[in-house]
Amino acid sequence: MASTDDEQQELVDVTFDFFGLEAVDYHGIRALLNQLLAHDASLIRTEALADWLVAPTQTGVAMSKAGTTVKTDGEASDPLALCAYVPLCPLPANTSDEATAALAGLTSWLAQRVLASTAQSRQGLRTIDEDIAKTLAQRLSAAQSAPSLGLIVSERLLNMPAQIVAPLLRITLEDMASIPNANDKDAQILLLSRIYVAASEDDADDLRFAQASQDLTNGSTPKKRRKAKTPKKQAQEAQLYPYHVEDEILAQNAKHVLDFAYQQAPARTQEAEGLDFGVEMFGTLMLFDRSSLDGLVGALEQAGSST
């Protein structure tokens, strides 16, 4: 006879509240930025980026950023998800030296990863035409370029439902209407995420578990371990798996998609961190025309309503 626990499912009623960016969000936003940038987070001044994002826009200064967080325990609680617009080209004026240096470092890192993606040989990774990659890298390397190019930072904790992504993006796009250049006819937007190259979905889930455990335990090694597959078997079976489920919809609607190796990715022989399950994590960069993003929101909403 089945137990009562097996027969009953406990329903938890959670209210998701949406807030603008505030100073109290600094630590939570920096943690989400570090999660998004993965192995290369230490190469980017995420503390300066987070400080710039939460700083109020000065009176009389044109708005240059927009962002929204999701929380479940009031406005003073930690953000569990973030969607924010960050201008890359041209870089915003009237920012602190620290913020300008951080934004310049972010654009330089993105340009390097775009170029590196054209030279990679890892089987299964998505690439773009070399000329397109060079043009994109050149735009990222130019502080004052046209048309405008921005980055939408979209990140959430793994236990947050994917259905929050569509309203987060919709609110951010609405707020971007007040930002000069962000809505130009030829403006383009980048979205950053990650993918796993794994032999199976189970292997990808193991690495997701490990990454989430490290986020929650400030880098301590998770207990769950699995024996890695042999390199030969990995090469035969490896497939791409998204970090977040919504990444599949984002990629399907993107103008261009490329995957890249992290500059500071751990060596495949390293098992000291407890992350070697026969799985590798790579970055993903997606390019959109600004005019296509409203349709992207609709695609995310439709997918969310069917789950």
Side-chain angles (χ1 to χ4, degrees):
M1 182 176 179
S3 66
T4 302
D5 290 341
D6 292 335
E7 294 174 349
Q8 296 180 350
Q9 290 185 346
E10 182 179 358
L11 297 179
V12 179
D13 186 14
V14 179
T15 299
F16 298 107
D17 296 315
F18 295 75
F19 297 96
L21 306 184
E22 301 290 345
V24 70
D25 300 327
Y26 168 81
H27 292 289
I29 288 177
R30 187 183 178 191
L32 289 169
L33 289 172
N34 286 336
Q35 178 177 301
L36 178 63
L37 293 164
H39 300 307
D40 285 358
S42 63
L43 299 176
I44 311 299
R45 296 185 58 187
T46 55
E47 76 285 353
L49 285 176
D51 190 53
W52 172 73
L53 282 170
V54 301
T57 300
Q58 298 177 1
T59 303
V61 175
M63 187 174 174
S64 61
K65 59 192 175 184
T68 301
T69 61
V70 176
K71 304 179 181 182
T72 60
D73 196 23
E75 189 170 5
S77 62
D78 288 334
L80 306 179
L82 166 71
C83 189
Y85 172 78
V86 177
L88 300 176
C89 308
L91 290 174
N94 301 308
T95 58
S96 67
D97 292 341
E98 292 81 4
T100 299
L103 289 166
L106 175 61
T107 56
S108 176
W109 174 79
L110 286 169
Q112 292 171 8
R113 294 304 89 206
V114 168
L115 290 177
S117 71
T118 64
Q120 64 196 4
S121 58
R122 184 65 168 87
Q123 183 180 3
L125 295 184
R126 295 163 292 189
T127 61
I128 60 176
D129 181 82
E130 186 173 351
D131 289 339
I132 296 175
K134 287 181 178 179
T135 299
L136 178 57
Q138 289 170 356
R139 291 178 63 191
L140 286 164
S141 301
Q144 302 293 329
S145 67
S148 69
L149 180 65
L151 174 71
I152 287 184
V153 175
S154 179
E155 184 61 317
R156 60 182 176 87
L157 297 186
L158 283 172
N159 61 350
M160 290 291 285
Q163 286 82 355
I164 66 169
V165 176
L168 266 176
L169 181 57
R170 176 176 49 77
I171 294 170
T172 301
L173 293 177
E174 291 172 353
D175 291 343
M176 283 169 56
S178 301
I179 300 177
N181 303 318
N183 297 281
D184 290 350
K185 178 182 177 181
D186 298 324
Q188 292 186 312
I189 301 293
L190 291 170
L191 266 163
L192 183 65
S193 191
R194 286 87 75 216
I195 52 101
Y196 295 124
V197 177
S200 71
E201 181 64 36
D202 287 341
D203 286 340
D205 284 341
D206 282 343
L207 189 52
R208 289 189 187 98
F209 170 85
Q211 293 292 140
S213 298
Q214 283 197 325
D215 291 337
L216 294 173
T217 58
N218 295 318
S220 62
T221 303
K223 302 299 182 183
K224 190 174 181 180
R225 299 285 301 266
R226 287 185 65 181
K227 185 177 180 180
K229 292 180 171 59
T230 65
K232 182 177 180 181
K233 191 170 185 180
Q234 289 177 36
Q236 292 174 342
E237 300 180 357
Q239 299 180 55
L240 301 185
Y241 295 93
Y243 188 89
H244 292 304
V245 293
E246 64 270 17
D247 291 344
E248 290 185 298
I249 298 172
L250 296 176
Q252 290 168 5
N253 287 269
K255 186 173 185 177
H256 297 294
V257 181
L258 63 88
D259 302 316
F260 60 86
Y262 289 104
Q263 186 173 334
Q264 297 191 140
R268 293 296 298 128
T269 56
Q270 282 186 347
E271 296 188 15
E273 298 297 325
L275 295 178
D276 194 339
F277 302 103
V279 182
E280 294 177 84
M281 183 167 66
F282 293 85
T284 295
L285 197 60
M286 294 167 272
L287 178 67
F288 298 84
D289 291 328
R290 168 62 186 90
S291 57
S292 71
L293 291 183
D294 293 325
L296 177 60
V297 172
L300 290 168
E301 290 174 337
Q302 183 177 4
S305 64
S306 63
T307 57

